[in-house]
Amino acid sequence: MGLPDLPGRRTPGLRRPEVAELAGISVSWYTWLEQGRVRTSEQVLRAVSRVLRLDAAETAHVLSFAEESRPAADAPTWVSPNLHTLVQAMTPHPAVVLDPHWDLLAWNAGYAALLTDPARLHPKQRNLLWLVFRWPPARTLLPDWEQEARALLGQFRSRAARRPKDPRFAELVTELLADGDAARWYERRETTGFEPSVRRFRHPAVGELRLRYVKLAAVDEPGHHFLSYLPDDRDSEDALRRLWENA
């Protein structure tokens, strides 16, 4: 960072005065910012993010605090007939609609066949985070479970931090922290952004599948997201059809 190497540094990383100097703000202001005693501009938060060498997802997480005073609009708890029809039309490709807490609002037979039928779960368990961390078969079904689960948790932390007083987020955090892996990773305060990817599944009925994970925002239903798994190869397409036909 171009700073002199001073003696007596007991831990790695920048000291508070160094962050303030490199960001172009006073030490007092930066201290108050850390302590949550002041609100500041997006420009200052971007400067701090640059100094701390945050990636795009982490920077977006920091910038969200500049908007924390604006009350977030509650997403509807229902799914429109049009979106519900789209979900069903995707069969045999798995599809689901999630709300801002990643609770499952609608799903099709393809999704139920690939994972489990959410209708058989308690309403509080119809949640993507719950399925990944608290539903035991997930760790066998997802060969890359640790990578997938950790990335999902980072996305969840970023979203939950924007609504610290939301009781559903608090409820989900309590449930997640009952899992040792989730508790350890959550303590690290990692945040990540969504990235389209190919997700591997190892299903006991049809073997391995490679599915592209597609996520779309529902413009006419703010806060809702449409997720679908599309086959990445012919074998995966055939496997999805067999799953649906034998469900």
Side-chain angles (χ1 to χ4, degrees), residues 3-203:
L3 297 171
D5 187 11
L6 300 176
R9 191 180 297 273
R10 292 175 293 179
T11 59
L14 294 171
R15 292 170 171 169
R16 183 177 285 160
E18 294 168 338
V19 176
E21 179 183 351
L22 292 168
I25 57 179
S26 70
V27 177
S28 296
W29 187 261
Y30 179 69
T31 302
W32 294 338
L33 184 61
E34 276 192 348
Q35 296 171 346
R37 295 168 57 187
V38 295
R39 304 194 65 80
T40 192
S41 66
E42 178 180 325
Q43 181 180 0
V44 170
L45 292 178
R46 286 193 181 278
V48 173
S49 299
R50 173 182 50 78
V51 171
L52 298 180
R53 295 181 176 176
L54 304 185
D55 61 25
E58 292 165 337
T59 299
H61 176 62
V62 170
L63 293 178
S64 71
F65 296 116
E67 304 173 354
E68 188 178 338
S69 60
R70 304 176 190 174
D74 291 329
T77 57
W78 44 266
V79 175
S80 69
N82 285 344
L83 192 53
H84 192 274
T85 300
L86 175 61
V87 169
Q88 302 308 318
M90 291 297 297
T91 305
H93 301 152
V96 64
V97 175
L98 304 179
D99 74 1
H101 308 104
W102 292 351
D103 287 329
L104 282 60
L105 301 181
W107 55 88
N108 62 11
Y111 188 89
L114 178 64
L115 288 96
T116 188
D117 188 352
R120 298 177 180 176
L121 301 174
H122 187 279
K124 294 293 186 182
Q125 296 174 344
R126 296 172 193 168
N127 180 275
L128 186 58
L129 269 295
W130 188 93
L131 284 174
V132 170
F133 283 98
R134 305 294 287 153
W135 183 57
R139 301 183 188 231
T140 302
L141 186 63
L142 295 170
D144 306 313
W145 180 85
E146 181 173 338
Q147 175 185 342
E148 300 279 0
R150 195 164 178 173
L152 193 65
L153 189 64
Q155 295 173 44
F156 174 78
R157 169 177 274 285
S158 180
R159 179 176 289 272
R162 301 175 188 179
R163 303 184 69 170
K165 298 180 181 180
D166 189 310
R168 179 56 177 154
F169 276 126
E171 184 179 39
L172 287 169
V173 169
T174 299
E175 179 71 22
L176 288 172
L177 295 185
D179 177 86
D181 291 317
R184 185 172 68 257
W185 297 332
Y186 203 79
E187 183 65 24
R188 295 178 183 176
R189 301 179 179 275
E190 297 173 337
T191 58
T192 57
F194 172 78
E195 294 184 2
S197 62
V198 175
R199 181 167 291 176
R200 293 195 304 143
F201 290 83
R202 189 171 293 141
H203 200 281

